[in-house]
Amino acid sequence: MDKLLIEGGVALHGEVTISGAKNSALPILASSLLSDETMEIANVPHLHDVTTTIELLGRMGLSIVVDEKMNVEINSSGISSFFAPYELVKTMRSSILVLGPLLARYGVAEVSLPGGCAIGARPVNLHLQGLKAMGAEIKVEGGYIKAKAKRLRGAEINLDVVTVTGTENLLMAATLADGQTKIHNAAREPEVVDLANCLIKMGAIIEGAGTDTITIEGVSDLKGTSYQILPDRIETGTFLAAIAMTRGKAKLKKTNPDILDAILSKFKEAGCRIATGSDWVELDMSNGDLNAVNIRTAPYPGFPTDMQAQFTALNCVSNGTSFVTESVFENRFMHILELQRMGAILKLEGNTVIIEGKNRLTGAPLMATDLRASASLVLAALAADGTTEVERIYHIDRGYETIEEKLSKLGARIRRMPGRIKS
Ligand code: EPU
């Protein structure tokens, strides 16, 4: 298994380009199941989770062509299987996103139930309840969700908890249902809006995406389209944290500051100077001291849980005591023990991390756990004295495109060490 070797203490400078959003690419790739015409999807990030989604769709019989710039051309007219096996779903929970489209278009789906997860229980009960409200017959047998429906029918769906992929699954299913669907307490994340915009280009009738009530008028079929994935706000936020924590100054291009409000306001509160243009953000921390900031995660437009670990790391090297409360997932704290190994002073009380700011961390051998926890370890390593070795970086490769190349471009001393190949 590959490792990252990071020599800390270099202030990051320069410019780097942000990739397309992972959490938009996954549902938008799944939406290709809703039409038998070709979809052309651009700005798809080159990530492990995208490869897994393409493999899943390929195994179902879809034809998929990916060029060297990660433009993906995908056509589902040759579909021959409606099955998502455990072996893929266990590596990527968002495989559940094929359930809604398969049921809506083909009336049948068999999708492995995602198992446990490193950050919380993450059940999919609300996906299933919503599909049942639309008339699907669903049973769980042998670890699989077995679903069938003649034609889904529009329904009033009230989600008890705001769920991103739940909203996306039901949104996709409703586009081909008979009649009107209203999703109440819908997720408002920019990635949900991106999916809705793509579906609208395919001919779907959707209103209210980006608000907490989405209304969908079902249509009989959808057409192919070309669509460009929106920039990744979490990759943007992670790189901003790297620049801030190393006391650097750098510009991130091909991003979208309009969807970064909650994140940018915390960087400003921490004392960073932020400049933005229509598609770029620059952070300058070259002559200042970072102040620790309190964080409480919440669904969009609140502060994203996917940036919690990164701000926990930032607070470790900032002045003052801070409180970081995780309110979306129960157990998203795998980074704490690893950060402690670098000399950080932090402890967990309930769902709040209490951090005593300390100006210097020291490099240490570390283990990546889940995606964003791993990103926080890379950030801490960039800011630490000495060398850090981060193992199990396949977690990072799920969500960050060539992280070591992009950070090197900003001057970081980071390299990937290939793991031993088993004979
Ligand atoms: N929940 C339920 N029942 C459900 C669905 C969700 O109780 O049927 C609960 C979850 O257990 C959790 C909360 O609702 O406590 C929110 O979970 P949500 O369903 O919104 O999460 P998700 O859709 O599985 C997506 C992102 C995550 C991101 C969360 C929250 C994708 C592919 N994944 O997950 O991204 O953390 O929304 O914003 O869009 C990441 O990129 O690192 C990542 C984990």
Side-chain angles (χ1 to χ4, degrees), residues 22-23 122-126 161 163-165 306 328 332 372:
K22 165 177 87 78
N23 291 347
R122 302 184 79 183
V124 291
N125 57 314
L126 300 174
V161 178
T163 159
V164 175
T165 50
D306 291 345
V328 177
R332 204 170 197 180
R372 308 301 171 187

Side-chain angles (χ1 to χ4, degrees), residues 22-24 26-27 49 92-97 117 119-129 159-168 187 189 191-192 232-234 298-300 303-307 310 326-330 332 370-373 395 398-400:
K22 165 177 87 78
N23 291 347
S24 277
L26 305 181
D49 276 8
M92 193 188 66
R93 308 177 59 80
S94 55
S95 311
I96 190 78
L97 285 166
C117 175
I119 64 178
R122 302 184 79 183
V124 291
N125 57 314
L126 300 174
H127 302 230
L128 305 190
Q129 269 174 29
L159 296 171
D160 291 343
V161 178
V162 177
T163 159
V164 175
T165 50
T167 302
E168 292 166 345
E189 269 63 7
E191 294 75 21
V192 173
D232 197 311
R233 64 196 164 101
I234 306 301
Y300 193 85
F303 186 89
T305 171
D306 291 345
M307 282 299 298
Q310 298 88 318
E326 174 57 59
S327 60
V328 177
F329 292 111
E330 317 82 273
R332 204 170 197 180
D370 63 273
L371 169 57
R372 308 301 171 187
H395 291 290
R398 293 185 56 185
Y400 293 91

